[in-house]
Amino acid sequence: MITDAQLAQYEEQGAVTIDSPFTTEQLDRAEAAWDRLRDNGGAPYEDPDYIEVIQHPYFEEVAKKLLRADAVHLWWGLAPHERAPASAPYDDPREQWARGCHVDIQATLEDFEATPRRMRAELWFWLNDVPAHRGAMRILPGSHRSIMAHWSRVLRPEHKAELPRVHGLRPAPVPATAAAFPEYIPDLGERPYLECEPVPAVARRGQILVLCSAGLHSAWQNEDIVPRKAMGTSWIAAGVSGGLPKNQRDALMDFFPRLRRQLRPDRAHIVPDHFDWLFESDYDPRWPETFPPSHP
Ligand SMILES: [Fe+2]
């Protein structure tokens, strides 16, 4: 289970890697399911070995502790995720960070510090080792707090009421073609975010990266010859509402009932049978308080 020291690291740095109770045999089955799904492009929710992973009680227990909640449920399913080997020459690390760093969740510090926490708990379950050179995700520790404090300062009360939400944003320069444009994350520390040095979220097979993606992080080129294999799952406290863009909300409302039917009766509660907690939240209508000053 996640320790108090690990919880403190999650709160202060926005990311922590923890052990899981999965045995080598269970990991072998999960990795074989991941390989099958990648090779056949099959529906994950029809693979019994995949269902065994998603309904394992450990993820739910970690999410409860993390979200300080008596009850939690999935906010998204269990997405098989591949970071395939890139081909050389590899991009300069500073360039990769400057191009890729972003946040996925928008929430205020009050949301994060509430009980239950109004945040998406993101758990990345690693099915093979993640050394730094195998495309380990890069994370800027502590940036979740400064950025959420910024949203606490600038957002209007009626917008704070529509958080937390999935809302991808990045530091300037935001390309005018980006969906988020002209919204951006201003520099809030002593150094510009794009010049900061992120840390690789390295892990051993079977460990779980517990991530708060309200902070800056980035995908990274895999310089190894094997893919990085993950299953990503995310959770929300029961009774807390969260927002998704229309396409993601539509997808969730389509697959949640199908996933729920595959679960053992004693595990079905991890997928809610209603969507009262899930509101639609898109880039439009715009929230002007997140525009740069040059866009009044
Ligand atoms: Fe992300």
Side-chain angles (χ1 to χ4, degrees):
M1 188 44 63
I2 187 165
T3 65
D4 288 347
Q6 290 168 331
L7 277 173
Q9 188 182 331
Y10 169 81
E11 294 206 351
E12 288 157 21
Q13 301 188 14
V16 64
T17 293
I18 64 172
D19 292 334
S20 77
F22 286 82
T23 63
T24 301
E25 197 218 333
Q26 288 174 314
L27 289 169
D28 288 346
R29 271 209 305 271
E31 186 177 355
W34 188 98
D35 290 343
R36 267 197 307 279
L37 291 168
R38 185 196 52 182
D39 294 344
N40 327 336
Y45 307 120
E46 281 152 27
D47 190 308
D49 291 332
Y50 179 90
I51 294 294
E52 274 315 295
V53 175
I54 196 168
Q55 68 186 351
H56 193 292
Y58 187 70
F59 299 105
E60 181 188 19
E61 292 307 313
V62 169
K64 278 190 199 170
K65 274 201 90 169
L66 201 70
L67 297 171
R68 302 198 283 230
D70 297 330
V72 297
H73 59 75
L74 287 166
W75 181 339
W76 193 255
L78 183 66
H81 189 283
E82 176 175 23
R83 179 69 54 211
S87 35
Y90 307 114
D91 294 336
D92 180 82
R94 276 168 306 190
E95 200 179 296
Q96 291 194 53
W97 177 247
R99 189 177 57 232
C101 77
H102 67 281
V103 307
D104 295 299
I105 295 283
Q106 190 175 40
T108 64
L109 211 45
E110 291 73 34
D111 292 322
F112 188 68
E113 289 177 341
T115 302
R117 223 187 272 285
R118 298 189 294 269
M119 174 50 61
R120 184 166 79 165
E122 289 159 79
L123 309 180
W124 287 73
F125 181 41
W126 304 116
L127 301 176
N128 61 353
D129 287 342
V130 191
H133 72 281
R134 194 177 284 169
M137 189 190 301
R138 263 47 174 190
I139 293 165
L140 189 62
S143 58
H144 67 310
R145 296 195 75 90
S146 52
I147 292 169
M148 286 190 289
H150 173 69
W151 303 135
S152 295
R153 282 191 301 274
V154 304
L155 291 183
R156 296 175 188 163
E158 66 268 29
H159 291 152
K160 288 182 181 175
E162 293 178 39
L163 299 175
R165 63 172 179 166
V166 167
H167 194 74
L169 293 173
R170 57 157 289 140
V174 179
T177 52
F181 183 84
E183 293 182 76
Y184 81 126
I185 297 170
D187 281 314
L188 301 163
E190 284 169 21
R191 293 176 72 186
Y193 281 132
L194 299 189
E195 291 171 22
C196 292
E197 196 165 332
V199 298
V202 296
R204 292 189 310 277
R205 185 188 198 218
Q207 288 190 311
I208 296 168
L209 168 65
V210 181
L211 178 69
C212 173
S213 76
L216 288 169
H217 59 284
S218 179
W220 216 252
Q221 286 178 343
N222 180 350
E223 300 185 9
D224 205 342
I225 54 170
V226 294
R228 186 195 70 178
K229 302 178 183 180
M231 291 180 179
T233 177
S234 68
W235 300 78
I236 188 169
V240 172
S241 297
L244 283 181
K246 178 174 169 35
N247 62 334
Q248 292 183 37
R249 183 168 178 270
D250 287 349
L252 184 151
M253 292 192 299
D254 176 61
F255 79 76
F256 261 33
R258 293 192 282 130
L259 170 59
R260 188 179 160 93
R261 282 196 290 276
Q262 301 292 329
L263 301 176
R264 285 199 309 269
D266 64 315
R267 301 300 300 149
H269 61 275
I270 65 171
V271 174
D273 57 2
H274 64 87
F275 302 107
D276 300 350
W277 57 278
L278 181 66
F279 56 88
E280 184 182 326
S281 183
D282 300 293
Y283 286 109
D284 287 297
R286 299 278 161 174
W287 297 4
E289 62 268 40
T290 58
F291 289 15
S294 54
H295 281 82

